[in-house]
């Protein structure tokens, strides 16, 4: 299923290929996800295309600096970013899709990141 989305001002636009709904999503309780209201849909790099706005993206890093928290420098909205948990994928904010999709939401205990990451692998 192809979906489109982007930031608030429209500078950043992307297209992503998602599985048929309900689409798996992760609700993370870590400090940055809680404050940005980010609801993660993990999309393989190959299933994602940035349509416009590459020059509008700027990044914020903290902690280990592995994750690249990309946000639009005009409107401040973080519509997708490079997560530390999935190096081969982008994490797309389901709240930034043009049309809402049916989700099956799983909790991710990002405050205890190492443990939570291990249990993601254990489920595969
Ligand atoms: Zn924007």
């Amino acid at each position: 299923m192809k979906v489109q989305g982007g930031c608030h001002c429209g500078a950043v636009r992307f297209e992503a290929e998602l599985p048929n709904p309900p689409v798996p999503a992760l609700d993370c309780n870590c400090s940055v996800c809680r404050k940005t209201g980010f609801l993660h849909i993990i999309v393989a790099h190959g299933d994602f295309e940035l349509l416009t706005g590459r020059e509008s993206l700027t990044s914020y890093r903290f902690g280990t600096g592995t994750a690249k928290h990309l946000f639009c420098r005009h409107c401040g909205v973080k519509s997708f970013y490079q997560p530390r948990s999935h190096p081969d994928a982008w994490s797309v904010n389901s709240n930034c899709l043009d049309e809402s999709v049916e989700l099956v939401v799983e909790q991710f205990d990002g405050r205890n990141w190492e443990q939570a990451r291990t249990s993601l692998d254990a489920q595969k």
Side-chain angles (χ1 to χ4, degrees):
M1 175 177 70
K2 272 220 189 309
V3 296
Q4 290 200 353
C7 69
H8 189 263
C9 72
V12 176
R13 296 288 304 160
F14 59 77
E15 187 170 78
E17 179 69 34
L18 301 185
N20 289 326
V23 177
L26 292 170
D27 184 10
C28 177
N29 64 3
C30 87
S31 55
V32 71
C33 293
R34 204 166 50 83
K35 292 200 174 188
T36 52
F38 203 101
L39 192 52
H40 306 253
I41 299 176
I42 303 297
V43 180
H45 284 159
D47 289 335
F48 179 96
E49 193 185 352
L50 183 61
L51 303 172
T52 60
R54 190 176 302 274
E55 70 294 336
S56 299
L57 288 168
T58 187
S59 82
Y60 168 65
R61 296 188 185 208
F62 69 98
T64 65
T66 312
K68 258 178 98 173
H69 298 276
L70 300 170
F71 62 95
C72 172
R73 64 188 169 87
H74 308 293
C75 67
V77 167
K78 178 184 169 189
S79 52
F80 73 100
Y81 77 109
Q82 177 60 60
R84 176 184 168 206
S85 56
H86 300 78
D88 301 331
W90 298 110
S91 175
V92 170
N93 188 349
S94 71
N95 294 319
C96 290
L97 298 179
D98 294 346
E99 312 276 338
S100 64
V101 296
E102 193 193 338
L103 301 173
V104 49
V105 177
E106 190 187 327
Q107 306 301 313
F108 183 81
D109 187 12
R111 276 181 286 189
N112 299 295
W113 193 91
E114 303 294 345
Q115 234 178 335
R117 184 65 192 88
T118 306
S119 71
L120 270 190
D121 280 339
Q123 288 166 19
K124 279 178 193 163

